[in-house]
Amino acid sequence: MDTMKLVILETSDVHGSIYPINYADNSYREVGVGKVATLIRRERAACPDCLLVDNGDMIQGTPLLYYYARFDQRRPNPMAVLDNRLGYDCAVFGNHEFNFGREATEHAVHDSKFPWLAANILNTKTGKPYFGKPYIIKTYEPGFRVAVLGLITKYIPIWEKPENITGMYFADPVETAKEWVPYLKGKERADIVVISYHGGFERDLETGEPTEMLTGENQGYQLCMEVSDLDVLLSGHQHRRISGAEIHGVTVVQPGCNGAYLGKVTLDLKKDGVHWTVSGKKSELLPVNGIVEDRELLKLTDHYEKDAQDWLDRPLGRIDGDMLVRDPMEVRMQEHPLIEFINRMQMKASGVDISLTALFNNESPGLPVNVSMRDIVSNYIYPNTLKVIRISGGDMLEALERSASFFKRYTGGPVEVSDTFTTPKPQYYNYDMWEGINYMIDLSKPVGSRIIKLEYHGDPVAMDGQYDVVMNNYRSSGGGDYLMFRNKPVVKDVPVDVTEIMANEIIEKKVIKAEVNNNWKLIC
């Protein structure tokens, strides 16, 4: 045989989405591993030579996975259970693989019958790959060899709690690829090299022009341009839907998030003497919309789901007043009782009187009159803990200006969100609202000069003054380009999930009053 076809299938940023449901109300959603599984089986039936890769952020993101990680690790990780049955060839670590702590990470790796790849996560003592397996080689008849090299964004230490990644060094993925790809082509005699990189693109795929701040978080474009002998780049992290694209001859794909799409790369190969070369290739996205989920597969995790659903429906207490979210834009433009409640809980748990938090996405429903755990985790979707850091008044002003840049400059008509917070990836979680200070945002002014009032206890905030502020661990590390918070003194660490803090408050008080104190205002 002098020709063959290879299909590479990619999932990425599934975020624990197994069932086609919205956990806020169990309504049906066109997402999830159950639906993706049907597509995978269909593709394998059409082309037996399939390579199946998960590109990271697998084990965090839904209440089911939260419940499992916090209360149910006596059983195998449900994502590993499903992916084992689906016959994944490998998985790559994503940044959210570390959120639940080292034990949860290692548990998922142990439960998986496929290898987890991380060429640039190095052991700080030995300098070797921390998890042992930087790549896989898979051989297909008649003797065709494909290599998959796993890489992760080097930004992990910026976001993650240090105790979750102790002993790990995150090397630059581009430099790591430059070291490994020649080895894979030479020593391992790989005909084709695929990089599965949990990261995205910081530049326009066609022009190469920057599309976001060049921080090094998303080096996909650089990988394609600088790494020789690279054939395919499987990407993720940004939750973008990318297909049909090539960069410097490298075929790229990115399948969104939550199992809404399956990424597919098709390689046409021909034998040139003793070597196989690519004669044609393309990438595409296969939507799960309208696809019937694989119920036989989902039976493997139905018992996990039942336990999580029971936990989610446990009653906690009541809300006196209205804490529902009807318009997320309004929540960000004027003070809302949900944000006030979260900030107040953070202040109480930490013992400081300045706090900041965000409305993480546009799907947050708010809290109904009768509150269950389902309502808590539907609004606070990340397993964050809290840190109190000491910042200057200048840092505070800079952070508020960063948040104020969330909006476009107002010139009339409705207020709009800045493109930098929606493209290429929605970043609604990067607009903070503060409690404990009084401030005013003027959207008619240019970015960087929109805070026209900033007071603490009735006095102007001193730019050289020192203030203790509580925030989640992601923000305290500088996540979301809040670089003014990075490496600031940590006054207190509160190692309790914010969801648990909220739930405990409702259980203790039984009734929570929905109220605001109007400490900030947005004007046009």
Side-chain angles (χ1 to χ4, degrees):
M1 182 188 298
D2 293 328
T3 62
M4 68 172 291
K5 186 186 297 288
L6 175 69
V7 170
I8 304 169
L9 302 176
E10 179 204 11
T11 52
S12 189
D13 299 272
V14 173
H15 285 289
S17 184
I18 293 173
Y19 294 85
I21 60 173
N22 181 341
Y23 280 94
D25 57 8
N26 282 340
S27 58
Y28 194 83
R29 291 183 69 200
E30 296 284 359
V31 296
V33 174
K35 286 175 168 285
V36 170
T38 301
L39 290 177
I40 291 171
R41 297 191 194 285
R42 185 179 299 177
E43 290 299 313
R44 282 175 168 158
C47 182
D49 290 328
C50 279
L51 178 67
L52 180 57
V53 180
D54 186 88
N55 193 59
D57 280 3
M58 179 198 299
I59 66 171
Q60 176 276 338
T62 58
L64 169 56
L65 267 294
Y66 180 93
Y67 174 77
Y68 169 77
R70 291 293 183 240
F71 307 110
D72 193 24
Q73 286 197 53
R74 68 187 185 280
R75 294 185 284 193
N77 189 291
M79 288 298 299
V81 169
L82 297 177
D83 288 358
N84 287 341
R85 178 63 62 88
L86 286 170
Y88 272 75
D89 291 291
C90 62
V92 173
F93 289 90
N95 50 297
H96 286 288
E97 255 67 66
F98 303 95
N99 288 172
F100 290 123
R102 181 183 297 270
E103 182 179 352
T105 306
E106 293 176 350
H107 198 173
V109 173
H110 176 268
D111 294 338
S112 302
K113 294 180 181 178
F114 47 86
W116 287 73
L117 311 181
N120 64 319
I121 304 179
L122 306 180
N123 188 305
T124 53
K125 293 182 178 180
T126 66
K128 296 180 179 180
Y130 188 92
F131 292 96
K133 198 79 172 177
Y135 66 89
I136 63 166
I137 297 287
K138 190 167 182 181
T139 303
Y140 297 87
E141 292 297 334
F144 168 74
R145 291 168 66 83
V146 59
V148 181
L149 179 70
L151 299 170
I152 187 173
T153 173
K154 65 184 178 186
Y155 239 54
I156 308 300
I158 302 299
W159 307 312
E160 193 52 72
K161 289 181 280 189
E163 61 267 27
N164 291 351
I165 53 173
T166 301
M168 302 178 198
Y169 171 68
F170 293 81
D172 184 271
V174 177
E175 297 307 314
T176 302
K178 289 178 180 178
E179 294 177 7
W180 279 105
V181 171
Y183 177 87
L184 297 174
K185 294 291 286 188
K187 184 72 172 179
E188 290 286 8
R189 297 179 289 108
D191 296 289
I192 297 296
V193 174
V194 176
I195 286 181
S196 186
Y197 167 55
H198 190 81
F201 300 92
E202 69 291 330
R203 297 179 181 273
D204 183 273
L205 273 61
E206 294 183 359
T207 67
E209 291 297 314
T211 55
E212 58 184 72
M213 187 181 296
L214 301 180
T215 62
E217 178 182 346
N218 295 294
Q219 295 173 274
Y221 191 89
Q222 191 180 355
L223 281 166
C224 294
M225 295 297 293
E226 297 186 17
V227 179
S228 301
D229 292 323
L230 175 60
D231 298 286
V232 177
L233 178 67
L234 307 179
S235 65
H237 183 55
Q238 291 175 311
H239 298 186
R240 294 171 67 181
R241 297 189 294 272
I242 299 173
S243 63
E246 278 198 6
I247 301 173
H248 201 229
V250 179
T251 298
V252 300
V253 67
Q254 189 173 143
C257 62
N258 302 125
Y261 292 86
L262 177 66
K264 177 182 178 182
V265 176
T266 304
L267 301 179
D268 294 314
L269 305 154
K270 64 178 181 180
K271 196 169 187 180
D272 182 12
V274 295
H275 298 290
W276 289 85
T277 59
V278 177
S279 58
K281 54 183 177 177
K282 66 175 182 178
S283 65
E284 56 189 308
L285 297 180
L286 308 179
V288 303
N289 191 44
I291 298 296
V292 177
E293 59 270 23
D294 186 336
R295 277 303 318 163
E296 286 302 310
L297 178 75
L298 294 182
K299 286 180 180 179
L300 297 175
T301 54
D302 279 350
H303 51 304
Y304 294 84
E305 174 73 356
K306 181 183 182 303
D307 291 347
Q309 290 285 354
D310 290 345
W311 170 73
L312 285 169
D313 287 330
R314 293 173 191 169
L316 301 177
R318 296 179 63 253
I319 302 297
D320 177 11
D322 186 356
M323 209 179 280
L324 294 174
V325 173
R326 294 177 175 83
D327 183 342
M329 192 67 166
E330 285 188 4
V331 174
R332 300 182 179 104
M333 292 177 60
Q334 61 186 31
E335 204 165 7
H336 189 276
L338 175 66
I339 303 302
E340 180 95 5
F341 172 60
I342 296 173
N343 270 324
R344 291 290 178 186
M345 292 311 95
Q346 293 185 169
M347 293 159 72
K348 180 178 179 179
S350 63
V352 300
D353 63 356
I354 305 177
S355 173
L356 60 90
T357 192
L359 186 71
F360 292 138
N361 58 35
N362 286 346
E363 288 71 50
S364 294
L367 297 179
V369 172
N370 296 301
V371 183
S372 68
M373 199 67 204
R374 183 186 306 279
D375 303 309
I376 299 283
V377 299
S378 294
N379 287 281
Y380 207 99
I381 59 177
Y382 298 115
N384 289 333
T385 57
L386 299 176
K387 285 187 184 294
V388 177
I389 62 172
R390 184 160 294 160
I391 65 173
S392 69
D395 296 326
M396 185 185 296
L397 177 60
E398 187 180 354
L400 286 164
E401 289 288 2
R402 161 71 177 150
S403 284
S405 71
F406 178 82
F407 303 100
K408 291 182 179 179
R409 188 172 186 178
Y410 187 76
T411 58
V415 175
E416 296 180 297
V417 179
S418 169
D419 293 341
T420 58
F421 284 81
T422 61
T423 306
K425 174 185 177 180
Q427 300 178 47
Y428 300 115
Y429 51 84
N430 281 332
Y431 171 71
D432 291 329
M433 291 159 279
W434 293 57
E435 188 60 45
I437 58 173
N438 291 280
Y439 62 99
M440 188 177 295
I441 303 172
D442 186 347
L443 296 188
S444 69
K445 295 185 178 296
V447 168
S449 58
R450 291 180 170 176
I451 305 302
I452 61 173
K453 175 185 177 181
L454 180 54
E455 296 177 347
Y456 175 64
H457 290 179
D459 296 319
V461 167
M463 292 298 99
D464 58 353
Q466 298 293 303
Y467 302 88
D468 293 347
V469 184
V470 60
M471 61 192 74
N472 66 54
N473 58 288
Y474 170 77
R475 186 68 82 237
S476 70
S477 65
D481 294 328
Y482 283 82
L483 305 184
M484 71 294 298
F485 294 151
R486 190 182 299 179
N487 299 321
K488 288 297 189 289
V490 176
V491 177
K492 182 183 292 186
D493 189 358
V494 185
V496 181
D497 284 356
V498 178
T499 52
E500 187 175 341
I501 293 172
M502 294 170 63
N504 288 341
E505 179 71 6
I506 295 172
I507 292 170
E508 177 187 334
K509 293 289 183 63
K510 295 184 175 60
V511 178
I512 302 295
K513 186 173 180 59
E515 56 187 356
V516 297
N517 64 356
N518 298 307
N519 68 294
W520 62 271
K521 186 177 182 181
L522 186 148
I523 63 174
C524 299

